[in-house]
Amino acid sequence: MIRKAELRDIQEIIEIVLGTIPIMREEGSDQWDDTYPLRKDFERDLQNGSLFVFEHNQEVVGSITVDQIQPKEYETITWTRNEPAYVFHRLAVKLGARKLGVANQLIDFAEKYALLKGVKYMRIDTYSVNQKAQQLFLKKGYKKIGAMEFHGKAFPFYCFDKELSVNDRQKPADLQGIERN
C-alpha cells in the first residue's frame, strides 16, 4: 500500500536511507552521504504533503517524494517539453524489500499522481555512477536527455524525462489511495 507519510514514518525512512548509503558506496556511488538526504529534507517533504511511503505488512519499506520542485540546475537542461512537470526525489527502498518491485510501484505511483493533478510530464535526475537507477528509469520509459553538475559531486548527474499518457487501465479517476487535493 502506498500512502501519504506521517510524522511517525520519518524515523523508518531515515533507517532505510542509512541502510542504503553503504550499498551505494559498495557500488562506487557517493550520491547519498552524511550530508544528503537528511531528516530535515523528509520533514520538509512531509510538511509540503509530498512525501509518500510504501507499506508492506504494516512496515514502511520504501518512500518517495513527488512534487513540482525542481533544482535550479534543471534550468541548464534542454528538456523535451517546456511545460509544468512533476519530479520525484529521494526514492528509497529497504534492503530486505528489494526485488519485490517496490521501486517500480513507487515510480508508477508518482506518474499516476502527476496525471491525477493534470500534469502529463515527469522529470528526474540521478548520479551518473548510479547504474541501477539509470537502468530502472530507462526500463520505465524515461529518456536520458542531459547531464548537470549537482551537489558538488565529482561526477555529473544525468537527467531523464517522460511524457505520460493515460490508457484504459490507468485512468486518473480510477486511482485509489491518492488524495485529489
Side-chain angles (χ1 to χ4, degrees):
M1 172 179 87
I2 298 173
R3 62 170 172 78
K4 274 200 170 189
E6 299 172 5
L7 186 57
R8 64 183 168 91
D9 300 319
I10 298 291
Q11 186 56 42
E12 287 181 89
I13 294 168
I14 295 301
E15 289 172 17
I16 292 170
V17 169
L18 292 175
T20 300
I21 291 171
I23 295 167
M24 285 183 162
R25 288 206 175 122
E26 286 173 18
E27 295 170 349
S29 175
D30 63 341
Q31 181 174 354
W32 288 1
D33 54 27
D34 59 350
T35 64
Y36 179 85
L38 300 173
R39 176 180 291 275
K40 69 179 182 177
D41 297 311
F42 296 105
E43 289 172 346
R44 183 186 59 241
D45 297 339
L46 181 69
Q47 287 178 336
N48 292 338
S50 59
L51 181 61
F52 300 89
V53 294
F54 188 108
E55 195 172 59
H56 179 69
N57 293 332
Q58 300 180 334
E59 176 187 11
V60 172
V61 296
S63 70
I64 191 169
T65 298
V66 185
D67 60 28
Q68 290 185 290
I69 298 172
Q70 300 177 49
K72 63 180 171 77
E73 290 83 358
Y74 276 24
E75 295 171 9
T76 65
I77 303 300
T78 304
W79 297 97
T80 302
R81 299 174 84 166
N82 186 20
E83 62 184 59
Y86 264 82
V87 181
F88 60 89
H89 318 268
R90 295 177 283 286
L91 172 64
V93 177
K94 189 173 187 171
L95 182 58
R98 295 189 178 192
K99 308 284 186 208
L100 298 177
V102 174
N104 269 310
Q105 291 179 61
L106 286 167
I107 292 172
D108 289 347
F109 171 86
E111 294 173 0
K112 290 175 185 179
Y113 187 82
L115 288 170
L116 183 66
K117 299 294 186 174
V119 175
K120 297 179 181 178
Y121 183 53
M122 297 289 298
R123 293 178 176 170
I124 184 62
D125 65 80
T126 192
Y127 201 29
S128 58
V129 181
N130 191 339
Q131 299 282 325
K132 288 183 179 179
Q134 293 171 55
Q135 291 170 0
L136 177 60
F137 298 160
L138 293 170
K139 178 181 163 191
K140 300 294 291 176
Y142 286 79
K143 295 178 184 166
K144 180 181 160 194
I145 57 156
M148 64 182 184
E149 301 302 315
F150 198 40
H151 290 298
K153 298 294 182 181
F155 299 101
F157 279 68
Y158 291 155
C159 296
F160 297 80
D161 67 5
K162 180 179 180 180
E163 296 181 50
L164 305 176
S165 63
V166 180
N167 61 40
D168 290 336
R169 294 177 298 129
Q170 178 182 311
K171 293 182 181 175
D174 296 335
L175 298 178
Q176 297 177 9
I178 303 175
E179 294 182 31
R180 290 190 169 274
N181 300 327

